Amino acid sequence: MVTASLASAAMLRHRITILALILAFLGVALAPLAAAQDDEEVVVRVGLHAAEKNLNPFIVPQALPLTHDFTMLVYDTLFWSQSRLDPEPWLATGAEPSEDFRTWTVTVREDVRWHDGTPFTAADVAFTFEYFAADGGPGRYGHHVYDHPVFESASVIDDATVQLTFQDPVTTFKLLPGGDIPILPKHVWEGVTDPRADATSLPVGTGPYMMVDYDPGVSYRLEANPDYFLGPPLVDRLIMPVVRDAQAAFAGLQTGELDFVTRNLPAPLVPRVQENEELSVITGSRMQSLYLMFNTRKPILRDPAVRKAMSMALDVQAIVDIVEGGLGRPGNDTWTHPDSPWAHPVGGHQFDAGAAGAMLDEAGYPLGDGGVRRSADGAPLAFTLLVNAAAPPQIRSGELVAEQLSAIGVDITVEPLDAPAITAARRPGPDGPPTVEMFIAVFESHAHADPDHLFFFFHSPGRGVGGIFSGYANPDFDAVLEDALDAPIDEKLTLIGQAQEIFAAEAPAVVLYYPDGRWGYRPGVYDGWISDPGHGVFTKRSFLAPYAAGSAVAEESAEEPVASEPESGEDSEAADSEPAPEEAVTEDSAPEGADASSTDAGDADAPSTASTDGGTASDDAGTAAPAPEEAAEVDGDADADDGGSGGAVTFVVVLVIVAAAVAAFVVVRRRGREGTVED
Amino acid sequence: MTGSFRGRLADRTSSRWVRLASQYAAVILAALVVNFALPRLAPGDPVDYLVPPEAGTIEESARESMLERFDLDGSGWQQFTSYLANVAQGDLGISVRDGRPVSEVVAERLWWSLLLVGTAVAVSTILGVALGFAAGWRRGSRRDVSLLAGVLAVDALPAFFVGLMLLLVFSVQLEWLPVYGAVSPEALTGWAWIADAGKRLVMPAVTLTFVGLGSVFVVARSAMVSELGEDYVFMARAKGLADRGVRRHAARNAMVPVSTVALLGFSTLVGAATVVESVFSYPGLGSLAFSAVRARDYPVLQAVFLLLSLIAIGANLLADLLYPLLDPRVRRAGSR
């Protein structure tokens, strides 16, 4: 018996050797195949830090930093962008209001086709507004046609003209909804009764990119729309894997697997990226804010004096310096992002801890035992502050808030939770207000670009989302904002400024800082990135010749000051764990977005309507950019991969051998055992 | 004689089967209950994902109809009974995140998980057994001590750390291996696809192998040590059997406990894979569960947990069934 199994073992060894030889041979033969693709075209690999679904605008994850700009690679809006008072006509060629601002006559381009070849007409615009309004459900886009302004009807005058009528006067139509709502193809959506049902089929838009592949939760592939009305995009293909892990994403950027990472580049990595000659850094404004919200329905927090005192005790400059290493601007008491056209002209933050303490004394909250203030009926000024456990900047900000407020006798307990748990605490129960006392969250640019953002978020419960957002209620504030809703733009600016002053005085929320953003990229692969204010860098203008070419040069010079920023130990720690895998919910979003306001202003003005019409004429410099040397670099990378793939094949071979050995082992044992039984 | 032996064996086997089946049914039912309850115990619900507070208020009726689509309306008991009924029919529900059938969502990820975990189990078992036997052969020798210290040190490293280190060395420094995903997003085909998938499997599988190595090693080593203390080894040595022969006999007997550990390791590694999958963006069940938790996607969570439970239970069952095959004593006890 012993001899028998020895013999079979010998045989087995034989077989394994043969198998190994065969596989090794295959491996050698295959290695070159693995990296055998290399074209002339410009292919940019973008590491998305989060993305879900197929850009169906009815179910795009809310407030995800990427959502809008990613969506707008495939779709177009009538105007671009909502972050400016006077957006540039995009799918539209113009829009004229009626005298009462309730009806807008929109003329649209006639040289546009949907990705499937069907011509785009005014009927698609009419359909889009009707369809969003009919859906009526909650969502990122729809609420601009049923919350405010409430859409009434559309009538198509001819293929290039449509009249959109609203129930209320809409003075800012070009920004919102004109600069926001993706125009949908009527012929695709017409028969769809439940727009929320489909999260996987490939979208059909008019945008610069066509989505050709979507692997749910894993990756997207986009291809340039060669017939785009502003000329073919400069990047032929966008390959976009979702790489949620920050370390993996930046490793990918360093190895050349990724050419751009949508995640904010952490401060400690900046020197490494700069040392690497193949990488560059670009800054851009995303108009984000990281804010501290009070639940003003809670007994003590209802008192504006308490909130204002807390606001005054916060050294927001210190917070942004410590948490973001200075990569950001301190918060303004007037809430709105300074880059937004709706920002208060002065803004600023009132920081005076001494005065804050005196204010609390006066308001009837004397210092009690243990250095904690108490109200007249003995309740301590002690609150729980919820922060997103997956967003280190929020946790650090929360800790600093707690530290700074303890100086005036307010006791804060920072509680990191996962995003859905915070959302649940913010949601009013069936019979009562939300349980949350204070929380920290991040807002994206849309929340600052929307002319009615203060109305939506801070109007008394009952209108907008104020009811679930802060519960803040002040009739004067409400009245000003209601007037502002329908006011012509000039007047609206004044009224919103008034509302912001009330806001600053009563502090229903405090912006701790406006995070700045910077991104790492491979200029050798694509160098056209520009910052579009409120959109950052990963946005459609970065890919379009009329915008990308010249601005790239301007941005290059802007990157120096950021790069040479001093870094304290705290910074590195701060940005180190930027990771915060982002999804769906706002609290989740790790701050990004930056200011490059001076350069932004420059490039925003450059492309006028006229020049966009003749877009193809001005794109020569842009298209010429990705030239031979880059191609060579791509080659180099491919070669490096090549070597690796040989190694990998070897590994696969080893794995197969291992598996075969296991199987053989089992067989031999069994056979041996059978022998024993028979014995 | 053979006939009656076989007959008695059949009797025993059938009653053993009944017992085994009822035990496993009970475990599966318990798993179903826990899998149903666990996601719901966390604060928040799918509506918070679908409509976060920033997006506007929702009426209670809208809320209900939203949940109805996913069969998540009604009381907990109603949901549970309809869940059981659906699972019995093989219907795992609809994913809250992307509205697709859960079975489809899970199927996409399952194969990657099996590939990753299967590879890690195979490698860690073989490596663990080889090293364990080598270490146990001469207990207390320098080789034993250094292997023990080395393997335990590796075992103590957290998976995410190992993953990051591998990433730094093999991707960033050496540029041998890709950093993310299971396959390139660039639509490779044929052999290129397989080579690419193999390449991307290396680091996650190695990381996971490190997680599983320690337990196999320790068990293999101590099994070897205790076998070497047995009388039959003493006898064999007395007869003058060479080391090689002694090792063969001892190793065969030592395989019994090792096989159990290796199979149970499968269920442990499926869990540990969550971390590894997040580090390497590997599209397995672990990363699916991770995203599902954040969206409170109950149907997907239920399905993933159910699947993981079934894998663990299956591994257990396999160990139960393999035991008599590996150990003649168990076999004889069963047939006596």
Side-chain angles (χ1 to χ4, degrees), chain B residues 135-152:
Chain B
W137 177 244
R138 294 225 192 286
R139 183 185 188 182
S141 67
R142 185 178 290 177
R143 184 168 67 180
D144 178 31
V145 173
S146 47
L147 273 177
L148 187 64
V151 173
L152 290 189

Side-chain angles (χ1 to χ4, degrees), chain B residues 215-274:
Chain B
S215 56
V216 179
F217 170 83
V218 168
V219 171
R221 177 182 170 277
S222 73
M224 179 52 103
V225 166
S226 70
E227 288 303 326
L228 289 177
E230 292 288 329
D231 290 345
Y232 73 89
V233 172
F234 186 76
M235 177 69 183
R237 286 221 159 105
K239 280 193 338 188
L241 195 61
D243 273 0
R244 203 183 135 89
V246 173
R247 200 183 285 134
R248 273 180 37 80
H249 284 292
R252 262 185 82 173
N253 288 318
M255 275 313 287
V256 177
V258 172
S259 68
T260 317
V261 172
L263 281 168
L264 294 187
F266 202 88
S267 39
T268 320
L269 291 194
V270 167
T274 307

Side-chain angles (χ1 to χ4, degrees), chain B residues 118-325:
Chain B
T119 310
V121 168
V123 177
S124 64
T125 304
I126 291 181
L127 211 61
V129 168
L131 296 178
F133 284 0
W137 177 244
R138 294 225 192 286
R139 183 185 188 182
S141 67
R142 185 178 290 177
R143 184 168 67 180
D144 178 31
V145 173
S146 47
L147 273 177
L148 187 64
V151 173
L152 290 189
V154 163
D155 192 54
L157 294 173
F160 76 90
F161 177 75
V162 174
L164 286 181
M165 286 303 114
L166 290 179
L167 210 98
L168 279 182
V169 175
F170 291 99
S171 295
V172 178
Q173 295 302 325
L174 300 173
E175 301 200 2
W176 286 356
L177 296 169
V179 296
Y180 65 85
V183 281
S184 160
E186 318 198 17
L188 302 175
T189 50
W191 287 104
W193 188 88
I194 293 175
D196 182 64
K199 216 157 103 175
R200 287 168 196 268
L201 177 64
V202 177
M203 286 196 293
V206 169
T207 311
L208 207 50
T209 299
F210 277 27
V211 176
L213 186 62
S215 56
V216 179
F217 170 83
V218 168
V219 171
R221 177 182 170 277
S222 73
M224 179 52 103
V225 166
S226 70
E227 288 303 326
L228 289 177
E230 292 288 329
D231 290 345
Y232 73 89
V233 172
F234 186 76
M235 177 69 183
R237 286 221 159 105
K239 280 193 338 188
L241 195 61
D243 273 0
R244 203 183 135 89
V246 173
R247 200 183 285 134
R248 273 180 37 80
H249 284 292
R252 262 185 82 173
N253 288 318
M255 275 313 287
V256 177
V258 172
S259 68
T260 317
V261 172
L263 281 168
L264 294 187
F266 202 88
S267 39
T268 320
L269 291 194
V270 167
T274 307
V275 175
V276 178
E277 286 172 13
S278 328
V279 171
F280 294 104
S281 312
Y282 208 80
L285 290 178
S287 59
L288 178 66
F290 188 69
S291 319
V293 166
R294 302 160 65 84
R296 298 293 188 257
D297 192 342
Y298 298 158
V300 167
L301 286 173
Q302 283 163 188
V304 171
F305 291 164
L306 179 64
L307 213 60
L308 297 190
S309 318
L310 288 180
I311 289 175
I313 293 169
N316 232 310
L317 178 66
L318 203 62
D320 270 359
L321 297 179
L322 273 181
Y323 227 75
L325 293 181

Side-chain angles (χ1 to χ4, degrees), chain A residues 470-486:
Chain A
S470 78
Y472 178 58
N474 175 338
D476 297 339
F477 182 77
D478 288 353
V480 175
L481 287 175
E482 282 162 22
D483 288 348
L485 274 184
D486 303 339

Side-chain angles (χ1 to χ4, degrees), chain A residues 52-53 194 669 673, chain B residues 49 69 97 186 252 325:
Chain A
E52 287 193 344
K53 305 174 185 169
D194 182 1
R669 291 293 129 183
R673 207 173 318 99
Chain B
Y49 167 79
R69 155 196 236 116
R97 280 195 316 149
E186 318 198 17
R252 262 185 82 173
L325 293 181

Side-chain angles (χ1 to χ4, degrees), chain A residues 209-230:
Chain A
Y209 284 93
M210 307 182 280
M211 194 186 290
V212 295
D213 185 55
Y214 167 49
D215 186 354
V218 177
S219 66
Y220 299 81
R221 257 187 312 132
L222 269 55
E223 248 158 52
N225 174 3
D227 304 320
Y228 194 57
F229 58 86
L230 291 175

